[in-house]
Amino acid sequence: MTALLYINSHPLEAHESMSLTAAERFLEVYRDTRPEDEIVRLDLYRADVPALDADVLRGWNALRSGAAFDDLPTEAKKKIARLGEIVDQFLAADKFLIVSPMWNFSYPPVLKAYLDAVTAAGKTFRYTAEGPIGLATGRKAIHIQASGGVYGEGPAAAADHGHRHLRAVLNFIGITDVERFGVEGHNQFPERMSEIREQALERAAALARIW
């Protein structure tokens, strides 16, 4: 059975968000097309995603130095255990639908925290004499990103640091099949908002049928 992990980094509800509206349409058609697949939802604004803070970094350093996990401080144990659960859930998936708004040319901090959590040495990548290699191979991802302006092409494309960074991280851990799905321009061209929404819904449905 194929597992799709839906990673949502938008704080609003679907009816309030262009990206989430497109994502829900994608999932609706995907579920109808592949009813045997498992869809797992992960809402990063409601999930416990520990930051890589002093507790985590000192705990990892202690473990690398030979300390037993049970001997770590309570907070370090709690956070490191949770990070392990997040990586395990990530590696259990075959496909990823990642949704984010563009905020100030990037994505919300909760998505950066999640990417930090799943970029785990020894699990999703490892170091070799020739350099790091990704271990999460054989998977693929779609990134649905909504932005008020147009950043998929044209003079503003270089400012899309969110998708560029997301793709770089996924490539680093071995996921090279990464598709950008932009829902763009609804603030720049408010008179076209309904058209942009409908085009996004049509594209989401078409992509879900073949993905």
Side-chain angles (χ1 to χ4, degrees):
M1 179 177 63
T2 298
L4 185 157
L5 180 59
Y6 171 36
I7 303 164
N8 171 21
S9 66
H10 202 301
L12 298 180
E13 300 297 326
H15 69 278
E16 303 172 286
S17 160
M18 288 284 229
S19 56
L20 293 181
T21 296
E24 290 299 330
R25 178 58 175 158
F26 179 97
L27 291 175
E28 176 187 11
V29 176
Y30 185 91
R31 188 180 296 109
D32 289 342
T33 306
R34 295 172 181 78
E36 71 281 2
D37 286 5
E38 179 186 16
I39 297 174
V40 178
R41 290 174 176 262
L42 176 61
D43 185 340
L44 296 182
Y45 273 91
R46 293 171 174 80
D48 173 21
V49 183
L52 304 190
D53 61 9
D55 292 329
V56 172
L57 297 180
R58 288 171 181 154
W60 281 345
N61 287 336
L63 292 173
R64 281 193 290 267
S65 298
F69 180 79
D70 287 343
D71 292 336
L72 297 179
T74 300
E75 281 302 303
K77 286 193 292 187
K78 178 182 176 181
K79 293 173 182 178
I80 290 173
R82 176 57 185 150
L83 288 169
E85 293 172 354
I86 291 171
V87 175
D88 290 344
Q89 181 188 54
F90 183 85
L91 288 173
D94 305 290
K95 300 177 180 180
F96 305 95
L97 180 64
I98 304 170
V99 180
S100 66
M102 178 187 280
W103 288 353
N104 300 318
F105 312 117
S106 188
Y107 42 60
V110 290
L111 183 52
K112 176 59 166 63
Y114 181 78
L115 293 174
D116 287 343
V118 300
T119 307
K123 291 191 173 183
T124 56
F125 78 96
R126 66 181 175 89
Y127 292 107
T128 72
E130 290 74 36
I133 61 171
L135 303 177
T137 56
R139 297 169 172 85
K140 58 183 181 178
I142 294 174
H143 178 209
I144 299 180
Q145 175 180 263
S147 57
V150 176
Y151 296 89
E153 59 184 10
D160 183 0
H161 303 295
H163 178 72
R164 186 179 296 110
H165 181 260
L166 173 66
R167 178 185 292 274
V169 171
L170 294 179
N171 287 177
F172 179 78
I173 63 175
I175 303 171
T176 57
D177 186 347
V178 182
E179 181 164 353
R180 181 186 188 278
F181 185 138
V183 185
E184 305 183 310
H186 47 278
N187 290 336
Q188 185 175 351
F189 307 104
E191 72 282 1
R192 293 182 52 211
M193 184 176 293
S194 295
E195 175 190 352
I196 291 169
R197 180 181 182 278
E198 289 307 310
Q199 288 177 346
L201 291 175
E202 290 175 8
R203 184 181 172 197
L207 189 57
R209 293 188 185 100
I210 62 173
W211 197 62

